[in-house]
Each structure stands twice: as C-alpha cells, then as structure tokens.
Amino acid sequence: MACFEGILDRSEWWSSLPVNEFEGAPIWLAKYISLRRFEDIMQGLRYTNRPRPAYEDRFHDVRELIDAFNNHYENNYHPGWL
C-alpha cells in the first residue's frame, strides 16, 4: 500500500516562497484559485451522506466512494486470462 503523506499544511500551496524540491508544495495554486475560495469549496464538499458509526472509522468520509469503486470493478472488470 502506498503511503504518500502529502503536504500537511494546505496554505503552502499558496506560498510565495520559491518552489523547493525538499519542502513546501511542488507548485503554486494561487494563479488558479484563491485560498479563500478553495477553503469555501472544501468546507462544503462531502463524499458521503451516511451517518458516522459508533466506532472510529478513519475512512468513513470516503468509505462510500471506496465501496462504489469496488462494486464497479466486481461487476465490470473481466481479466483476459480467466
């Protein structure tokens, strides 16, 4: 399983510091979207309508997306060697 940690501080994507391969974001998003607009979109974006379970599920927010992906592959993917 891949374990890409990514950029922990989202504001680094809008930094004005020079792009550096060892720290910060690899590109700047400021010329495409403002940080405020991005935060507004992220605040309203939801991946599921299911209520949270009583136990801690770290994948709850994307569980429905994962289930739909797996069901799609189960019903539509047919490897050529079978």
Side-chain angles (χ1 to χ4, degrees):
M1 175 191 252
C3 296
F4 176 68
E5 192 171 305
I7 308 297
L8 297 179
D9 182 5
R10 285 187 181 155
S11 66
E12 289 186 24
W13 291 97
W14 285 268
S15 173
S16 59
L17 298 175
V19 174
N20 181 330
E21 65 180 288
F22 300 108
E23 58 185 311
I27 62 169
W28 297 326
L29 297 178
K31 68 180 182 180
Y32 304 107
I33 186 171
S34 70
L35 177 58
R36 170 76 192 267
R37 182 162 174 78
F38 177 81
E39 289 174 342
D40 288 345
I41 291 170
M42 291 303 293
Q43 187 175 25
L45 190 62
R46 299 290 179 263
Y47 295 102
T48 185
N49 292 329
R50 297 178 184 170
R52 289 206 170 271
Y55 57 92
E56 181 182 353
D57 180 4
R58 292 178 21 199
F59 295 100
H60 170 74
D61 294 338
V62 293
R63 177 82 52 208
E64 194 172 356
L65 179 72
I66 293 168
D67 291 344
F69 178 86
N70 289 335
N71 289 335
H72 174 78
Y73 262 76
E74 182 179 338
N75 295 324
N76 297 293
Y77 181 70
H78 306 288
W81 61 86
L82 294 179

